[in-house]
Amino acid sequence: MKFFYILDGKKIKKWLLIISIAFVTASIFYIQQLASESVFSTDLGPKAIYKVENKKNELALTFDISWGETNALTVLNVLKKHGVKATFFLSASWAERHPRIVKKIVEDGHEIGSMGYEYKNYTELERGKIIRDLAQAKKVFDTLGIKHTPFLRAPTGNFNKNVLKVVHSFGHTVVHWSVDSKDWLNPGVHAIVENVTKNARSGDIILLHASDSAKQTASALEQIIIWMKKEGYKSVPISDLVNNAHIKSKEIK
């Protein structure tokens, strides 16, 4: 006995079209997901933020502090004068010695991030030593009334997959930067301003320093803020920048 199957050509075309559309949609979604992963990434592990895709003309001014007290106060005064909010990454050993400045940072409405305790290159430390450094930093910040520091900048800016995993276990997300002002080199106020204004765009995280070794930062900051306002950019804390934004990514070894 023979069986014959009659196929409807119109239905076949219809289903082929549906399958094709579904395949294209899935492909687009997959590509978009890849593009929005935050990295420096460890495949499926913890990630580090260096930039976000932000359509609100927002960027983040971030300041590292590990030494001195004069420049930090000057920088704070400039920010307050212009009504600008920023994120300060503090070495906890510095914060321990300067609680008055830490209090002013908080009172002025800025965000505080951690840089560990001793400001040592984590990539050169054993896991146990990194854990002890982070634990000591947490103790200091707790004592100062800063109960939660969700973001951490790796001391000296160096990190790898192992560092990311240890830091993540403490509840921190590593925040790097996409624009380096190079103010720590003291190359001149004009050079610092150009390093920022020629490269910064919406979603960028800008690296600046408020340690006393960065002697030209405060003067450059005045001009950077004026440029930002002229171009329609607004500086926000890291937590505000990453909320409802796509985080740029890049794989690390």
Side-chain angles (χ1 to χ4, degrees):
M1 184 180 292
K2 295 182 180 179
F3 294 89
F4 295 92
Y5 295 90
I6 300 174
L7 302 177
D8 188 325
K10 290 185 178 179
K11 288 186 178 180
I12 292 175
K13 288 181 180 180
K14 177 182 177 182
W15 281 107
L16 284 175
L17 179 61
I18 292 172
I19 292 171
S20 297
I21 292 172
F23 178 79
V24 171
T25 302
S27 299
I28 293 172
F29 179 78
Y30 178 71
I31 291 170
Q32 287 178 335
Q33 286 295 102
L34 288 178
S36 65
E37 282 293 311
S38 79
V39 168
F40 306 100
S41 129
T42 63
D43 298 325
L44 299 178
K47 306 173 187 302
I49 300 169
Y50 82 98
K51 179 183 174 69
V52 306
E53 289 185 1
N54 185 292
K55 296 180 180 179
K56 298 180 179 179
N57 277 355
E58 295 173 336
L59 44 76
L61 295 177
T62 67
F63 298 86
D64 290 2
I65 310 180
S66 59
W67 177 74
E69 59 182 39
T70 304
N71 199 37
L73 291 170
T74 306
V75 166
L76 284 169
N77 288 337
V78 173
L79 292 171
K80 189 170 186 177
K81 172 185 173 183
H82 292 280
V84 172
K85 304 303 179 187
T87 300
F88 286 81
F89 288 95
L90 311 179
S91 162
S93 59
W94 176 88
E96 193 174 35
R97 297 191 303 273
H98 301 92
R100 182 174 60 89
I101 302 178
V102 175
K103 183 180 179 182
K104 180 170 175 53
I105 293 172
V106 174
E107 288 178 345
D108 284 358
H110 302 297
E111 185 171 44
I112 288 183
S114 175
M115 281 201 298
Y117 184 81
E118 291 190 16
Y119 196 75
K120 289 185 176 180
N121 186 345
Y122 280 178
T123 62
E124 297 176 354
L125 299 181
E126 297 174 356
R127 176 183 174 86
K129 290 184 177 180
I130 299 174
I131 291 174
R132 285 194 291 274
D133 189 78
L134 290 170
Q136 192 169 2
K138 184 181 185 309
K139 183 178 179 181
V140 169
F141 287 123
D142 284 347
T143 301
L144 292 172
I146 303 166
K147 301 300 182 182
H148 185 48
T149 51
F151 303 111
L152 178 140
R153 176 159 286 160
T156 72
N158 295 309
F159 59 89
N160 53 30
K161 291 183 178 181
N162 291 329
V163 170
L164 287 179
K165 289 177 182 177
V166 176
V167 170
H168 181 72
S169 71
F170 268 78
H172 301 302
T173 297
V174 171
V175 173
H176 201 59
W177 57 83
S178 52
V179 176
D180 186 353
S181 70
K182 301 187 187 300
D183 59 342
W184 57 279
L185 292 172
N186 293 308
V189 171
H190 179 72
I192 295 170
V193 173
E194 283 215 328
N195 288 338
V196 174
T197 58
K198 283 190 173 182
N199 299 294
R201 298 295 180 269
S202 183
D204 275 315
I205 297 173
I206 301 168
L207 173 65
L208 293 152
H209 296 77
S211 291
D212 282 2
S213 53
K215 303 179 185 301
Q216 300 159 342
T217 302
S219 297
L221 182 59
E222 285 269 7
Q223 296 183 38
I224 291 169
I225 292 174
I226 291 171
W227 169 82
M228 284 171 47
K229 291 183 175 181
K230 181 181 178 182
E231 296 296 320
Y233 292 118
K234 177 184 179 182
S235 174
V236 297
I238 292 294
S239 57
D240 288 351
L241 188 71
V242 301
N243 282 340
N244 302 317
H246 291 297
I247 303 170
K248 284 283 187 177
S249 39
K250 208 182 274 186
E251 186 174 2
I252 65 165
K253 305 298 182 182

